[in-house]
Amino acid sequence: MNEDLLVMSKITKIYPNGVMANDKVDFSVRTGEIHALMGENGAGKSTLMNILYGEHQPEEGDIFIEGQKIKINSPNDAIMHGIGMVHQHFMLVPSLSVAQNIYLGKEPRKNGLIDTKEMIKQAEEIARKYNFNILPTARVADIPVGMKQKVEILKALVGGAKILILDEPTAVLTPQETEELFHELKEFKKKGHTIIFISHKLKEIKQICDRITIMKNGRSMGTYNMEDMDEKSISRLMVGRDVIKSVEKKRAKPGETVLKVEDLSCINEDGKHAVNHINLKVRRGEILGIAGVEGNGQSEFVECISGIRKDYKGRVSICGQYVDRLSIKKIRKAGLSHISEDRMSYGVAVEASISDNLISDKLGEDMIGHGPILSHKKIASLSADLVDKFLIKCSSYKQPVSMLSGGNMQKVVVAREFAREPAIMIANQPSRGVDVGATEFIHKKLVEIRDNGAAVLLISADLNEVMELSDSLAVFYGGEVVAYFEDSKNVTEEELGYYMLGLMKQPEDIILGLG
Amino acid sequence: MNKKREALFQFLSVLIAIAVALLVTFAIILCVSDEPVEALKTFITGPLSTKRRIGNVIEGMIPLIFTGLAACVMFQAKQFSLIGDGAFLVGALATAVLLLKFQLPAVPALFLGILIGGAVGGICAVIPGFLKAKWNANEFVVSMMFNSILEYFTVFILLNYIRDPGSGFVASYLIPENVKLPSFIAKTNVHTGLFIALFMVVLTTLFMYKTKWGYSIRMVGKNPRFSRYSGINTFAVVFSCQIIGGFIAGLGGSVELLGMYDRFQWQSTPGYGFDGMTVAILAANNPALVPVGALFLAYIRVGTDVMARATSVPNESVSIIQGIIMLLITASAFLSKTKHKMVIRSVRDEQKKIKEVA
Ligand SMILES: Nc1ncnc2c1ncn2[C@@H]1O[C@H](COP(=O)(O)OP(=O)(O)OP(=O)(O)O)[C@@H](O)[C@H]1O
Ligand SMILES: [Mg+2]
């Protein structure tokens, strides 16, 4: 029974810039298990999995399937050996539709031609089966990240893999969607398939995984049975210390209103009312959390107030100044910082260096040089400082962002947005894809700027994160605010769930307390 | 891998690319020539054989530097506009018109003449630049069509306003001798425009890497969504980089006219805009490397010229040779395996050292 299905032995990988991402890593999985792979940002998890999927070639080491030594030169070879992968940074074709992406290379055919109608029908069916809310005909370039993630997962599931690699699949899913996915993964396992699961969320790992391999600094710290491990022992192996889960924070002392949104409505790409008459305000010294199932208007709402989307009705003001018709440059100048939920499209320019990515919002400011001139000296010291403070794992701030691990890219975004002291911070999924230690750090920073008098608007698919950090809470459903809690302590997770699923709605006058 | 090794590697890989290209070239020459060895020799050493030919190479570089810089600025923002070609032509035309229609003292005439070339070149880019920035109209197509409009416009002006009926061929009146850019090396046409070109290289490099605007241009090229989200005015960047490109190409047209010609006589574009794109690719879009790319292109141009005259190899072969060299140099995967081995070796060395110390 406990036969190893797949063995990776003494894998060493050195990237062209000389970073040793994997150092003689041994890794093996058994038939019919869900195997967790954990480790800090930059520990080498994605690298190891990309090698297994044939995207990178190891400098040393062998791969065996069922005792046979094999060579995986390309993803095609991997697919031939029954290996499928959901990438941390999606491998989708932006200009094609959702359905075309899911069935890429295996399109249903009629008389030798691609049967588009059938393809869309099948896509709808499979989406319904997994309870994933997607738009089969939408262009991938136009859909929010949450949906992109689901497309990527569906694509791997229809591929019919024997070994399925999931690199942080739940980072952008809501708890409900994660449940659905887990249900499916368990079914998958029952059929004798094997799953390798990467995540930074211990709770999830404990819930579905049988065994766990922990990586640190490119080395394997060993493989353990899940039942023998608890949070403490895992984090000690991973980080080398205990991680304090909850941030200490004092009671909020809200001051005057900073961000005020009046009667905001907008229509999204597929013609639906994505945001419907929302009134909301965030005050100095307060963290307002927004809870809600992804796709209930949060993305569009943030796009409107941050200036990315312009075609909306209603008014937005920052510190009493109307900013709704202003350019993003002016909105940011009025004091807005914005951590985007979609780091690959908005958050970073991957080809540019880390320091170029850290200064893009500061062109109007003297901190990177007077007037029209860039001061490379100032930029260097600013970058070194931020890399240091935000624990961005890199060999130099001159490195292109494409050479960073996923979590470290996120840290670049976070570091940039925190560097100017904002009046209002919009943190949309701020800890997406970052490890426990760094999450703790980001949470601390959010509380710190709150205590220094900033207003914080926190949007997160992670209910724990919202409940833990927020002073007050609003729930989004169907593009509307359906509940508002002045004090987030007065609500239970269960109660929130009802509002999030649209089963309950508070009377108007309570919600208006928010406006 | 340390910086020195990196640079050495870069240099070696270009050398190898050239060597391979020469081998292929030799094979081609072998097919079309009775005296292949002689032909290849004239191709390689011909441009250096006389002072005049060395002069030809340097003269040839000058317009290529201008249009190469123009292409660099636009390519950095991922704007594949051909407007450099039209701007070069019309820039020269504007200079000719100004100098022939207005009597100015020599120094201001020279100064204004060149400046107006740049200004008109910039104006040429307004329409394609605006259409792209505002409505996302493909700049490649628009600028190409616009170039033919500019070409006919040039012919129209030349024939109707500045043509010298006394000249034996279609050309303008003589440009006043005292506003021309003098040559400074005896027995060659190498003119002082070279210094203007090198000055522009420095200026463009500083602009791209030391100013906030240059930074914005680079970022928009790398990820426009990211730039917009960060608060960069992407409309202004897309629009302005084409105008700057047009301006530099226009300057190039004026300088070429004032340095190399007695009259304005182009009835179609001399094609330097396209060559500029080649130069930009050779220079990896880095303005500081544009003179090297321009030198290279000018050198093989003169080389094939000499070869065509001395032997039976046709001049058209220059295009083939050019193509092969470009292909090899720009192929980014070229030699990447060897490079990777070098990296691994150096990492291993470092590890060993660390272990020894420990
Ligand atoms: N293309 C690349 N070129 C150079 N270095 C890279 C490249 N990709 C990753 N690295 C480096 O290799 C190391 C391991 O990265 P990897 O992506 O495997 O981390 P990870 O464990 O998946 O982290 P995360 O949890 O943040 O996704 C990091 O230090 C990273 O900077
Ligand atoms: Mg990763």
Side-chain angles (χ1 to χ4, degrees):
Chain A
M1 168 67 206
N2 279 355
E3 271 295 286
D4 282 334
L5 169 67
L6 167 91
V7 177
M8 297 178 84
S9 151
K10 301 228 170 350
I11 301 287
T12 297
K13 171 74 196 171
I14 299 172
Y15 278 112
N17 61 345
V19 170
M20 194 171 218
N22 285 165
D23 185 4
K24 300 205 183 68
V25 176
D26 289 319
F27 178 72
S28 61
V29 291
R30 296 173 187 158
T31 312
E33 73 168 342
I34 302 185
H35 194 117
L37 187 56
M38 278 195 92
E40 290 184 281
N41 295 131
K45 308 176 294 290
S46 299
T47 303
L48 190 67
M49 291 302 110
N50 283 331
I51 289 172
L52 182 55
Y53 195 59
E55 268 161 319
H56 292 315
Q57 295 306 312
E59 268 64 63
E60 261 171 32
D62 300 306
I63 301 174
F64 302 85
I65 284 190
E66 290 166 340
Q68 295 279 5
K69 184 166 155 180
I70 56 163
K71 195 132 180 49
I72 306 177
N73 288 318
S74 70
N76 261 333
D77 288 358
I79 293 165
M80 259 179 34
H81 285 106
I83 300 169
M85 179 157 177
V86 172
H87 291 85
Q88 183 174 14
H89 297 128
F90 319 127
M91 301 287 184
L92 300 172
V93 188
S95 55
L96 293 184
S97 75
V98 165
Q100 280 170 326
N101 265 285
I102 296 176
Y103 290 101
L104 197 67
K106 27 186 189 294
E107 296 88 352
R109 282 169 192 272
K110 200 163 89 187
N111 309 329
L113 297 174
I114 292 175
D115 186 350
T116 311
K117 263 197 202 133
E118 176 64 22
M119 188 163 75
I120 292 169
K121 213 181 93 204
Q122 284 186 14
E124 272 165 358
E125 260 163 37
I126 183 167
R128 206 169 314 122
K129 183 171 156 215
Y130 293 111
N131 240 327
F132 281 176
N133 177 18
I134 56 165
L135 303 162
T137 51
R139 233 166 49 113
V140 163
D142 301 329
I143 62 178
V145 256
M147 204 184 285
K148 283 184 198 153
Q149 176 75 77
K150 289 170 220 161
V151 175
E152 178 91 16
I153 294 173
L154 289 177
K155 188 177 156 192
L157 288 175
V158 302
K162 188 164 71 169
I163 301 173
L164 187 59
I165 307 164
L166 298 164
D167 194 348
E168 298 193 34
T170 58
V172 299
L173 295 187
T174 58
Q176 289 80 359
E177 288 163 344
T178 304
E179 278 307 314
E180 293 296 337
L181 176 68
F182 284 0
H183 178 76
E184 217 41 58
L185 294 182
K186 282 180 197 152
E187 289 293 309
F188 212 67
K189 173 180 148 180
K190 262 190 219 145
K191 286 186 209 141
H193 296 280
T194 305
I195 295 156
I196 303 171
F197 187 83
I198 302 180
S199 169
H200 290 292
K201 299 175 187 166
L202 262 172
K203 230 172 91 188
E204 292 180 349
I205 300 256
K206 287 225 70 145
Q207 193 184 341
I208 60 160
C209 296
D210 304 302
R211 292 198 305 157
I212 178 171
T213 297
I214 295 171
M215 290 187 72
K216 188 178 178 193
N217 283 333
R219 300 216 178 89
S220 166
M221 306 294 285
T223 300
Y224 306 86
N225 284 326
M226 209 60 227
E227 57 256 37
D228 303 338
M229 303 297 279
D230 56 19
E231 287 195 18
K232 266 200 176 149
S233 49
I234 291 175
S235 77
R236 226 172 271 146
L237 280 170
M238 247 168 62
V239 196
R241 66 177 169 100
D242 292 343
V243 175
I244 312 137
K245 276 248 21 196
S246 58
V247 255
E248 274 175 51
K249 73 180 184 78
K250 288 178 281 190
R251 245 193 117 68
K253 291 189 220 79
E256 67 272 28
T257 301
V258 177
L259 176 74
K260 191 166 164 66
V261 177
E262 297 164 56
D263 201 28
L264 188 92
S265 298
C266 91
I267 291 174
N268 69 1
E269 279 69 34
D270 46 310
K272 291 208 196 83
H273 256 286
V275 179
N276 219 343
H277 301 290
I278 285 187
N279 288 289
L280 176 153
K281 64 171 187 274
V282 193
R283 294 163 296 179
R284 271 175 75 97
E286 144 183 91
I287 300 178
L288 173 67
I290 291 181
V293 176
E294 189 152 330
N296 277 286
Q298 300 95 316
S299 305
E300 289 86 354
F301 178 71
V302 169
E303 281 173 13
C304 290
I305 51 182
S306 61
I308 289 175
R309 201 180 268 272
K310 291 276 174 228
D311 51 343
Y312 61 86
K313 295 205 188 76
R315 306 228 68 179
V316 180
S317 61
I318 293 175
C319 301
Q321 178 199 355
Y322 280 116
V323 296
D324 39 274
R325 298 289 167 259
L326 299 184
S327 67
I328 296 181
K329 185 174 168 186
K330 291 201 176 116
I331 298 176
R332 280 183 174 271
K333 198 152 188 216
L336 177 123
S337 270
H338 170 202
I339 297 171
S340 168
E341 61 173 341
D342 191 347
R343 64 168 169 260
M344 299 311 270
S345 308
Y346 290 106
V348 291
V350 283
E351 291 165 44
S353 69
I354 295 174
S355 65
D356 277 351
N357 271 279
L358 287 173
I359 63 170
S360 62
D361 64 330
K362 304 177 183 64
L363 296 181
E365 272 161 66
D366 286 346
M367 65 202 279
I368 60 164
H370 289 287
I373 306 299
L374 285 176
S375 156
H376 286 280
K377 223 161 123 201
K378 282 187 178 171
I379 294 171
S381 78
L382 177 76
S383 308
D385 187 44
L386 288 175
V387 162
D388 203 42
K389 251 204 218 140
F390 285 81
L391 311 166
I392 298 167
K393 196 181 165 198
C394 60
S395 33
S396 142
Y397 53 78
K398 291 187 186 135
Q399 248 183 317
V401 164
S402 61
M403 290 185 180
L404 295 180
S405 78
N408 282 301
M409 290 184 192
Q410 181 71 13
K411 290 186 209 164
V412 171
V413 180
V414 172
R416 175 184 63 232
E417 299 301 327
F418 271 108
R420 284 180 326 139
E421 277 154 27
I424 164 85
M425 165 68 84
I426 299 179
N428 196 355
Q429 324 288 355
S431 57
R432 179 167 274 178
V434 304
D435 60 41
V436 276
T439 302
E440 177 195 342
F441 178 75
I442 293 172
H443 288 177
K444 266 194 200 150
K445 286 302 276 189
L446 283 171
V447 173
E448 185 186 309
I449 60 167
R450 178 203 77 164
D451 290 343
N452 290 341
V456 178
L457 182 66
L458 172 72
I459 302 98
S460 174
D462 183 349
L463 205 51
N464 282 326
E465 185 171 46
V466 185
M467 302 238 340
E468 208 175 287
L469 279 177
S470 309
D471 301 313
S472 45
L473 254 176
V475 183
F476 271 45
Y477 179 78
E480 293 176 35
V481 176
V482 293
Y484 169 60
F485 304 95
E486 171 94 50
D487 186 348
S488 62
K489 298 280 173 309
N490 296 338
V491 59
T492 63
E493 200 166 320
E494 199 186 348
E495 208 180 325
L496 267 186
Y498 287 123
Y499 288 112
M500 283 166 64
L501 295 173
L503 301 173
M504 269 164 50
K505 186 174 176 183
Q506 283 179 346
E508 285 295 314
D509 52 329
I510 301 184
I511 298 169
L512 281 177
L514 184 56
Chain B
M1 193 154 59
N2 60 29
K3 274 263 158 61
K4 248 194 214 152
R5 265 198 211 181
E6 185 99 25
L8 179 73
F9 187 86
Q10 208 66 39
F11 181 68
L12 280 181
S13 70
V14 170
L15 273 193
I16 295 173
I18 292 174
V20 173
L22 285 179
L23 267 180
V24 180
T25 312
F26 183 64
I28 295 170
I29 294 173
L30 209 56
C31 299
V32 296
S33 169
D34 319 325
E35 18 168 19
V37 179
E38 191 53 36
L40 190 70
K41 209 178 122 210
T42 32
F43 170 61
I44 297 173
T45 60
L48 297 176
S49 56
T50 67
K51 193 172 169 190
R52 227 178 58 105
R53 284 178 184 160
I54 297 175
N56 285 342
V57 173
I58 299 173
E59 291 148 34
M61 271 174 73
I62 297 171
L64 294 176
I65 290 177
F66 283 102
T67 52
L69 289 175
C72 275
V73 174
M74 296 190 280
F75 283 4
Q76 287 256 18
K78 293 253 158 68
Q79 300 299 312
F80 297 102
S81 170
L82 301 172
I83 199 65
D85 215 43
F88 188 91
L89 177 68
V90 180
L93 176 74
T95 309
V97 171
L98 181 89
L99 296 179
L100 294 175
K101 294 286 168 191
F102 300 93
Q103 304 294 314
L104 296 165
V107 174
L110 184 63
F111 195 70
L112 275 180
I114 292 175
L115 222 53
I116 199 159
V120 170
I123 292 169
C124 289
V126 166
I127 289 180
F130 184 80
L131 291 179
K132 172 64 188 248
K134 188 81 183 169
W135 290 297
N136 206 17
N138 186 314
E139 74 282 2
F140 187 85
V141 176
V142 174
S143 62
M144 191 154 72
M145 295 191 296
F146 199 64
N147 277 346
S148 48
I149 297 178
L150 292 176
E151 228 170 46
Y152 287 112
F153 173 75
T154 306
V155 175
F156 173 77
I157 299 285
L158 172 60
L159 295 182
N160 292 295
Y161 293 99
I162 53 172
R163 180 173 184 184
D164 179 1
S167 156
F169 55 105
V170 177
S172 72
Y173 288 101
L174 278 171
I175 290 169
E177 200 55 42
N178 59 353
V179 291
K180 288 179 61 184
L181 293 165
S183 61
F184 61 92
I185 300 178
K187 288 200 222 127
T188 71
N189 282 330
V190 178
H191 55 90
T192 46
L194 181 65
F195 301 113
I196 303 177
L198 294 177
F199 175 69
M200 284 310 290
V201 170
V202 175
L203 209 63
T204 312
T205 309
L206 288 178
F207 171 71
M208 289 307 291
Y209 294 99
K210 302 273 181 216
T211 69
K212 294 180 179 176
W213 198 252
Y215 167 85
S216 302
I217 289 178
R218 288 185 287 125
M219 288 307 119
V220 168
K222 293 202 160 95
N223 182 351
R225 281 187 185 208
F226 158 81
S227 309
R228 202 170 97 74
Y229 148 94
S230 301
I232 292 171
N233 186 344
T234 48
F235 173 90
V237 167
V238 167
F239 190 39
S240 68
C241 78
Q242 301 196 43
I243 291 182
I244 295 170
F247 177 83
I248 301 174
L251 281 187
S254 310
V255 168
E256 181 70 0
L257 178 75
L258 297 181
M260 300 293 287
Y261 294 86
D262 300 324
R263 306 163 183 270
F264 182 88
Q265 60 195 59
W266 289 319
Q267 292 186 69
S268 65
T269 101
Y272 286 118
F274 284 94
D275 293 341
M277 293 176 131
T278 309
V279 170
I281 293 172
L282 285 173
N285 295 342
N286 181 350
L289 293 180
V290 159
V292 183
L295 172 66
F296 182 74
L297 194 58
Y299 192 93
I300 59 173
R301 285 269 159 88
V302 174
T304 34
D305 218 38
V306 177
M307 177 170 71
R309 244 176 288 156
T311 67
S312 54
V313 181
N315 211 338
E316 285 72 32
S317 63
V318 69
S319 309
I320 301 177
I321 296 166
Q322 224 176 302
I324 294 164
I325 295 178
M326 300 271 300
L327 215 68
L328 286 168
I329 291 182
T330 52
S332 61
F334 184 66
L335 290 184
S336 65
K337 272 230 170 89
T338 322
K339 183 172 177 186
H340 196 68
K341 274 189 200 136
M342 274 171 68
V343 173
I344 291 165
R345 204 178 313 136
S346 78
V347 171
R348 292 265 150 80
D349 287 352
E350 261 165 50
Q351 279 190 326
K352 232 182 254 159
K353 260 183 232 153
I354 293 169
K355 266 184 204 143
E356 274 162 22
V357 172

